Structures are given as C-alpha cells and as structure tokens.
Amino acid sequence: MPSHLNRLSQRPATAMMPGAKTFRTIIGVVALGATLALAACASAPEQAEKAQPILFPPPPEEPRFVFERSLVSSADVELQDSTTRFRQMVTGESTAGVPFGKPFDVITCRGRIYVSDTVKRSVLAFDIPGRRFFEIGVEDPGALSKPLGLATDAQCNLFVADGTAQRVMRYDKDGRYLGTTGASPPGLFQRLSHVAVTPDGKRLFAVDTGQLDSADHRVRVFDISSGQHLFDIGGRGNTPGKLNLPRDAEIGSDGLLYVVDGGNFRVQAFSQDGNFVRSFGSVGRQFGQFSRPKGIAQDPSGNLYVSDAYFANFQIFNSEGDLLLYIGNRGANPGPAKYMLPAGIDVDEDGRVYVVDQFFRKVDIFRPADLPQEEGHLGVWYKSSEPQ
C-alpha cells in the first residue's frame, strides 16, 4: 500500500478537518494560484513545474494532495510530430484537440483514463503511457446512445451504463466491443445510471435510480458470463438497506458494495450478496454531511471519496465514515478545484484523484503530496515525449 494513502487513513479526523479560517485560506490559495495553474495546465508539464503548487490542506497544515492538472481535450495526451510542434512555436498556434462535450463519469485503469460524454455519445479514452487518444462506442456493434456510469475490472475491460438504451455495454481496454448485459428481457431498468463490477469480471452491479413515483430504486445484480439477472439490492425506503434515488456504486477493496443513496443523503455498504452492513452520512451543510451526493470512489487503503454537486467539492472519509478532508469549492469561472457541477470521481492505483465537472467540461487531477510527479502511471507526462 502506498505510504501516503496509509497516512491519510490513519490521520485523526479532527486534525484533517478544515475550520472556517482554513476554509477561507483554501479559497484564497486557490484564487491566487488559479491564473498560474491554468496557464500551466494548458502548456507543457515543464512549465507547470514553475507554477506555485496548490496544496490541500494549505499551509501550515501538512499537505496531502497537490493539484496536478486539468484534462480538457485530446491535446493533453496526443503526441505531435516535429513539424507541428515547430509550426506552433513559430506561429503561436494552439492545439485544440477533441474537447469534452458534457463529461459525466471517469474511471481509470493502469494509466488509461476513460471519460463518458453524454453530448458526444461516446467514451473518450486517454491512454497516457501510450500517449494516444481514441473514442469508444462511436459505431456498431457497440454504439452508445447516452453513456453514463463507468467501471473496469482487473483486466481493464470497460463497462458502460447506457442511459438511453437501458443496458450495460462491455468493451476491452482498447474499445473493442465485447457484449451487452441487461438488454434482455426488455424493461429490466427504469433509469439505469451507474455500474460497478467485481475485479474478476464475473458479477455486475447496475444502479437503477428509478422514477419519483416508483418503488424500484435498487441495484440490479447480474452474472456477466451468462447475462442472468441474479437478484436486487434495495427497494425504495429510508430504513437501513433501502434506497432512495441511488446515484453511484463502487466495489471496495474490502469486497463490499458502496452505494451513494442520494435521496437519503448517505452512503450504504452491502455485502455482494445484498446484505446491509453499515451506512454513514446525513443531510446538512456541515463537513461530513451531504446535500447532492453524486459519485463515489475508493483508494487502495479503503478511504472513500464522495463528490457533492451542491457543495461543489469532494469529501474524503475513512471506511467507517469519519471525515478526513475535503477539496474544492464553487467558482463562477473554471480553475483548479473550482466546480459548478462535479459528478464522477475515481482514484487510481497510485492514489491520484480524478474529478469530473460537467459545467466546466474538465477532469481535475490531484496527486498525493508525497508522490513525485514522475512516478506512477501518469509519470510519463513528465519523463518522456515518446510512448511507452
């Protein structure tokens, strides 16, 4: 387990929770550094190194995360030939690349960043070690209508919840279509929104958010190899084990299924057989509470990351639900850790955090403070201009 993640989970919550004075400091640090950081994100990583780092929490507290960069288009990853680079240097021409339309969710696997985009009707794939960009689900077989939640198994096979087609599409790591789950018989979902999958790729958990006038607010469980629907978790209600407008789900390193129970303003943990284990969270405006919880992710040490669209941030909890840290705040203009509509969130194998903002059409990336930027799956951005 990476040391930075272990220390984060062991740090007492009271030492990590920012008070009002620290909250104002975070806003000040982000505001002062936004211009430099944005310029750095749009330029080469070598220039980004010269910008003043934006730390969370800010000094004098010990930093846990550093804002690393924002991902906004294919230009952030694609290699350019020497002629193109020279022309840009001489003319000042910028590289636009393929930008996001309206990103929804993000998932990572060994240096590949997959982002679902409901406007482009595809999944945008950023292969960082290979320094290439490609789109998934743009043509049959396997064409997508409204890609929403994403998941991967241990082999980096990609699972996509299609909200319009009401089925889960499966692809290999390079975007080759593998099959569909939940398409037959018709009507298995009312409002499919997210998906989680076991690391071995055998069992799939599909989040059915349901309708306001429906009792079917649930997680539907499938055997992937056969496509058979096995059982459901939840059903509408507010008692332990019941769900109200579930939003997202994550299979944790402890094997538990964590579900964002949006309408009940909590996170619930279940066994993979559907038994309720525990929950945390409540409605409110205080640290550790929720207002519009959306996405969930877990780091390798078991800490849980929950994005909240109303708070415009993400909060980090230990597995028991104690608040460790929060990052981000609302901003009228895009900038590091500035959000208007945060949605999907993920944490990779190295502890880097990826946060989607739908309004600003970006994915913010945060690096653990004691992880050198040249290390981990994204280190190639700083070590070499050649694909690995």
Side-chain angles (χ1 to χ4, degrees):
M1 178 188 303
S3 61
H4 54 271
L5 299 177
N6 189 41
R7 286 198 295 273
L8 176 62
S9 62
Q10 294 178 351
R11 183 78 175 266
T14 53
M16 300 282 299
M17 288 176 59
K21 181 177 180 181
T22 306
F23 180 72
R24 290 193 297 269
T25 303
I26 290 178
I27 296 176
V29 170
V30 173
L32 287 173
T35 301
L36 284 175
L38 279 176
C41 291
S43 60
E46 290 78 12
Q47 293 173 307
E49 292 177 6
K50 300 176 183 178
Q52 184 67 28
I54 301 174
L55 308 175
F56 300 91
E61 296 189 57
E62 181 183 355
R64 298 297 174 177
F65 288 96
V66 181
F67 173 79
E68 188 161 50
R69 62 193 300 150
S70 290
L71 188 64
V72 297
S73 80
S74 62
D76 293 315
V77 63
E78 288 183 303
L79 282 174
Q80 299 169 347
D81 58 41
S82 57
T83 301
T84 301
R85 289 196 298 269
F86 179 76
R87 184 180 69 249
Q88 290 176 343
M89 180 181 67
V90 172
T91 65
E93 172 190 340
S94 62
T95 303
V98 178
F100 293 121
K102 190 175 183 181
F104 183 85
D105 196 20
V106 59
I107 198 75
T108 62
C109 191
R110 297 199 287 274
R112 296 188 181 211
I113 306 170
Y114 302 98
V115 183
S116 57
D117 193 308
T118 57
V119 168
K120 292 186 176 298
R121 299 185 180 186
S122 64
V123 174
L124 280 59
F126 302 82
D127 178 4
I128 307 305
R131 298 302 298 269
R132 66 189 183 109
F133 167 85
F134 57 98
E135 292 188 62
I136 298 172
V138 295
E139 58 185 26
D140 284 322
L144 292 164
S145 299
K146 188 178 181 180
L148 296 173
L150 304 175
T152 56
D153 62 19
Q155 302 303 314
C156 295
N157 293 315
L158 178 68
F159 298 75
V160 185
D162 191 319
T164 296
Q166 293 293 291
R167 58 189 180 182
V168 178
M169 311 289 278
R170 308 193 310 273
Y171 308 86
D172 71 10
K173 64 181 181 179
D174 294 312
R176 287 183 285 267
Y177 175 65
L178 299 177
T180 301
T181 301
S184 179
L188 281 174
F189 302 107
Q190 286 198 357
R191 189 150 61 109
L192 174 65
S193 60
H194 267 280
V195 63
V197 64
T198 53
D200 61 11
K202 293 183 177 180
R203 184 170 284 190
L204 182 146
F205 301 81
V207 177
D208 193 357
T209 299
Q211 305 292 343
L212 292 176
D213 59 352
S214 167
D216 294 329
H217 296 218
R218 59 202 174 179
V219 177
R220 314 214 77 180
V221 186
F222 296 85
D223 177 87
I224 294 175
S225 61
S226 68
Q228 180 184 1
H229 170 231
L230 302 177
F231 57 90
D232 292 335
I233 299 172
R236 195 166 197 179
N238 57 15
T239 57
K242 294 295 184 178
L243 299 169
N244 184 22
L245 299 173
R247 299 292 185 183
D248 195 2
E250 171 89 349
I251 296 291
S253 56
D254 54 9
L256 295 178
L257 174 73
Y258 292 89
V259 181
V260 176
D261 189 4
N264 288 322
F265 309 97
R266 64 187 178 185
V267 171
Q268 295 201 72
F270 298 88
S271 72
Q272 292 185 25
D273 293 326
N275 297 313
F276 171 79
V277 177
R278 60 178 175 269
S279 69
F280 67 89
S282 62
V283 62
R285 298 184 178 183
Q286 303 301 313
F287 301 127
Q289 295 181 313
F290 300 120
S291 184
R292 287 185 62 196
K294 300 295 286 290
I296 188 168
Q298 190 181 56
D299 68 25
S301 65
N303 299 316
L304 295 164
Y305 297 62
V306 182
S307 61
D308 195 299
Y310 180 84
F311 293 149
N313 69 7
F314 64 93
Q315 301 183 86
I316 307 173
F317 303 85
N318 64 22
S319 59
E320 299 300 320
D322 300 318
L323 179 66
L324 303 175
L325 180 66
Y326 78 91
I327 294 176
N329 54 78
R330 191 169 301 281
N333 298 300
K338 291 289 188 180
Y339 305 112
M340 187 67 73
L341 286 174
I345 188 169
D346 193 36
V347 184
D348 71 11
E349 302 90 337
D350 305 311
R352 282 181 165 95
V353 184
Y354 305 75
V355 185
V356 170
D357 187 272
Q358 295 181 282
F359 186 84
F360 292 135
R361 298 187 297 175
K362 66 173 181 174
V363 176
D364 274 359
I365 304 174
F366 299 84
R367 186 181 75 251
D370 60 355
L371 177 70
Q373 63 182 12
E374 298 85 1
E375 292 188 6
H377 291 293
L378 300 194
V380 66
W381 254 331
Y382 305 94
K383 290 189 295 188
S384 173
S385 61
E386 297 300 325
Q388 301 298 300

